[in-house]
Amino acid sequence: MKTNFFSKSILIFIISFFSALGFVFGNNGEEGNAPVKKEESEKIPVKMSLRYFRLANGNESIKVSAWYKEGKKNVYINNAVINLFFGGVSEEGNIGSGRTDEKGEAVINLFQKYLQIAKGKNDLDFIAHMDGFGSYSEGEEEISIKKAEIKLTVSETDSSVKAVLFQVFGKDSLVPVPETEVKMGIRRMFSILPLGDPLSTDEKGSVASVVPCDIPGDKEGILYVIAKIEDHDEFGTIESEIPVKWGVPVKVVVNHNRTLWASGRNAPIPLVAASVAIVFGIWGVLLYLIFQLFKIKKLSKRES
Amino acid sequence: MENSIRGHEAQRIIKELNVELLPKKFGALGKTWVVLLLIVIANGLFFYCQQLRQGLCITGLGDYVSWGIYISNFVFFVAASLVGSLITAILYLLNVKWRAPLTRISEVIAVAAIMFAGLIIIVDMGRPDRIHHLFMYGRIQSPILWDIIVITTYMTISILLLYFPLLPGIAFCRDNLTNIPKWQKKMYRVLSLGWRGTKDQFAIIKKSVTILSVLIIPVALSIHTVTSWLFATTFRPGWDSTNFGAYFVSGAFMLGAAAVVAGMFVFWKFYEGYNKYITENHFDRMGKLLVLLSLVYLYFTINEYLVPGYKMKQIEADHLQSLFVGHYAPMFWAVQIFGMIIPIIALLFKRFRKPAPMFVIALMVIVAAWFKRFLIVIPTMLHPFLPMQEVPVEMQHYMPTFPELSITLSSLAAALLVITIFVRYFPILSIWEIAEEKGIETEEMEVKGE
């Protein structure tokens, strides 16, 4: 009777445990939020979009979004594997992959392989491919980017920064791009502080912004002025930055007080005293108890 | 002592206890168990060597989740170690008589758990060769340093609390075990400190155990409170709570009690004659204790989720939604249901406080407790208050890698191996305490001559 009940209990436990584990790890798999598998004809058509980014530090990336329409609403696809190709869908052209997050977005950074393939090219053709999974059909989208550059120059006389937008042709031929919106700003920790409204480039491809002199910089007063074009149909999002010495130097206050957030040497005295007292108090008792072990041994010898 | 047993009758009972409770060689099942543990440990060691060579890049850890299952495993071990203070100290000071056969089981679990809590922290370090930097450059203001101090102290107390009452047991082994290898004889001789069981020696043991029992309670509360402060003193959703110390301690007591129940069952089921000492009554009482501890933990759990859930500040909301209805919802609800709700309801009924159902429930609580620590650590790391910029999307998810899982599993297996080895060479039930509970005076246990 006891064994029987024991076996049943074990069985129930095993089933429960493995169902729980199934839940746990099943959710991390390829088909994170995928509905059940369906026939090819019934599969949900997937929409995709691509955006190109080149940051001021030179890092390039492609942000891929994947979603489907449910009535008028866009439903973003989570956990979809996206493969990114350059030039055409082929093994040689596969320059990276990523997985979409809860917002249906995957950011694929463009590293070594892309830099080798794209070297010297001014027309950049990217293709993103999503394999079909669950009830989603496969999806594909492409984007063509023309290589452009923003050159920044500093005018010390009127504390302004001039940005010129060029499209790159041939090896190093730069042609100014007029009538394009450029945002000027100053890099802060988490975002860009805009220097006025976005400006449109003139026939020489240039815009200029005066930098106010009362913005806190680093300890030497250096600010980083940024010029940026965003989501341009031909150039994507590109930015460029230049350091200027027009900021207010920020004094770094070194804390020499005895505080919780100071260095170890400047720990508050009460904290040090309390810690030392507690540690020595407890370890004192423990040493006394270890001494008792020797006493036990001594008693044994005496008795024998 | 009233109704004390003396003389021939006392000697007969002691002899009977010796025959039944002295450690025995493992049978086929025991040997298979040891081999299985060794395989798991060897697999983990292989991957740890790989980790030492290549670094933490072989794990799933990244910029977002820099504390993964190594740290959740550490919290699990610390929690399990608290059982020593519960059964040995609290019940001892409350003069609860039925605890006698359970004290050593709980203490050996505590020692094994705290040993591997310390080791798994070293495993989590990318550069373990720099561990001495913690002591050289550690800040007394940092809970990390407090944790190191308190773990070392707690381990020492636990070892002493295991060793003092074990002395007569080691002497019983020294004097009664025949047909054992020389090294084993020597081990008993050295470890028994020449124990003769005199009145003075027993007095020292009793005094030391009382001191340790008083000392271990604040240290045990500190160890898990300080561990909780590693989280609560950082500004993150899910951790930014004043409740965390009590929440961790209550969860630890619940896990510890379940671990003792699991241990009790193994000896009750597989060790011949032990069911005379670990009886159904013990399971019944431990069942009631487990319900009480589970209810306390349930109270803190509700506090932990209801209050931020009611306010739903944006970043807290993202974190809570990932637990309640999002990516971690299946694990979260499985843990609450299997690890708390079902055990509480089931253990309210006497029929579930029998050994077999208790064992199943204890295993459920233990497994759920491990995943609970996972849920405390990982989802929070995925929702930092301060945004991180330009992080690749693959770093915004966490899935432990096979090497990481292997190393973690091997630490669990190694803790079990420590317990297993202890059981193989030392009496897991305290013979002299059981004898004393039966009314035998300690003078009757004195070794007469060599």
Side-chain angles (χ1 to χ4, degrees), chain B residues 359-377:
Chain B
F359 177 61
V360 177
I361 289 167
L363 287 187
M364 277 166 59
V365 171
I366 293 166
V367 173
W370 193 91
F371 282 100
K372 172 77 188 194
R373 273 72 193 167
F374 180 96
L375 287 169
I376 288 172
V377 178

Side-chain angles (χ1 to χ4, degrees), chain B residues 310-360:
Chain B
Y310 191 84
K311 291 183 279 193
M312 277 289 180
K313 286 181 282 184
Q314 185 53 53
I315 191 73
E316 293 274 6
D318 290 346
H319 169 243
L320 288 175
Q321 273 165 2
S322 79
L323 292 178
F324 294 165
V325 290
H327 186 70
Y328 290 106
M331 191 195 285
F332 178 82
W333 292 113
V335 162
Q336 308 306 331
I337 292 166
F338 293 109
M340 207 156 14
I341 307 297
I342 293 177
I344 289 174
I345 295 171
L347 292 176
L348 288 175
F349 300 96
K350 198 173 170 63
R351 62 178 295 194
F352 287 102
R353 294 199 299 269
K354 302 281 178 198
M358 277 284 288
F359 177 61
V360 177

Side-chain angles (χ1 to χ4, degrees), chain A residues 30 48 50 60-64 79-86 90-101 105-114 126-131, chain B residues 391-397:
Chain A
E30 289 254 328
M48 292 169 72
L50 275 70
E60 292 174 80
S61 62
I62 294 283
K63 187 183 270 185
V64 183
N79 245 337
V81 175
I82 309 286
N83 278 298
L84 187 69
F85 299 90
F86 183 79
S90 65
E91 202 174 314
E92 302 83 60
N94 190 338
I95 52 170
S97 64
R99 195 184 283 272
T100 56
D101 59 14
E105 290 177 346
V107 177
I108 301 166
N109 290 305
L110 304 175
F111 292 128
Q112 201 64 35
K113 191 173 178 188
Y114 158 77
F126 299 98
I127 300 163
H129 180 90
M130 184 188 114
D131 291 335
Chain B
V391 178
V393 74
E394 54 271 21
M395 282 198 188
Q396 296 171 24
H397 298 281

Side-chain angles (χ1 to χ4, degrees), chain A residues 276-288, chain B residues 153 157 215 218-219:
Chain A
V276 169
I278 292 169
V279 170
F280 275 83
I282 292 176
W283 276 93
V285 176
L286 292 182
L287 288 174
Y288 166 75
Chain B
T153 309
I157 298 178
L215 199 62
V219 177

Side-chain angles (χ1 to χ4, degrees), chain A residues 2-3 5-6 9-10 13 16-17 20-21 23-25 27-28 55 57 59 98-102 105-107 109 189-191 259-264 266-268 271-272 275 279 282-283 285-286 288-290 292-293 295-297 299-300 303-304, chain B residues 138-141 146 149 152-153 156-157 160 163-164 167 193-196 198 200-201 204-205 207-208 211-212 215 219 265 268-269 326-328 330-331 334 338 351-352 356-357 359-360 363-364 367 371 386-387 389-390 392-393 396-399 446:
Chain A
K2 189 166 74 179
T3 317
F5 187 77
F6 177 58
S9 310
I10 289 285
F13 173 74
S16 315
F17 177 53
L21 274 189
F23 270 132
V24 169
F25 291 105
N27 208 24
N28 286 313
L55 303 177
N57 61 11
N59 286 350
R99 195 184 283 272
T100 56
D101 59 14
E102 285 140 4
E105 290 177 346
V107 177
N109 290 305
M189 188 169 280
F190 291 116
S191 60
T259 54
L260 275 178
W261 51 92
S263 67
N266 286 325
L271 179 72
V272 177
S275 312
V279 170
I282 292 176
W283 276 93
V285 176
L286 292 182
Y288 166 75
L289 292 170
I290 292 167
Q292 294 301 305
L293 290 173
K295 206 170 161 187
I296 288 175
K297 193 166 186 178
L299 280 171
S300 306
E303 294 296 326
S304 60
Chain B
R139 294 167 65 244
I140 195 67
Q141 299 101 309
W146 307 344
I149 294 169
T152 327
T153 309
T156 312
I157 298 178
L160 286 175
Y163 186 49
F164 268 107
L167 277 170
L193 303 176
W195 178 264
R196 304 198 57 79
T198 63
D200 289 344
Q201 285 181 323
I204 291 175
I205 285 193
K207 185 178 72 178
S208 304
I211 294 172
L212 285 166
L215 199 62
V219 177
F265 180 81
W268 177 84
K269 176 88 182 163
H327 186 70
Y328 290 106
M331 191 195 285
F338 293 109
R351 62 178 295 194
F352 287 102
F359 177 61
V360 177
L363 287 187
M364 277 166 59
V367 173
F371 282 100
L386 291 175
Q389 295 176 316
E390 297 163 26
V393 74
Q396 296 171 24
H397 298 281
Y398 173 72
M399 185 68 185
E446 190 171 339

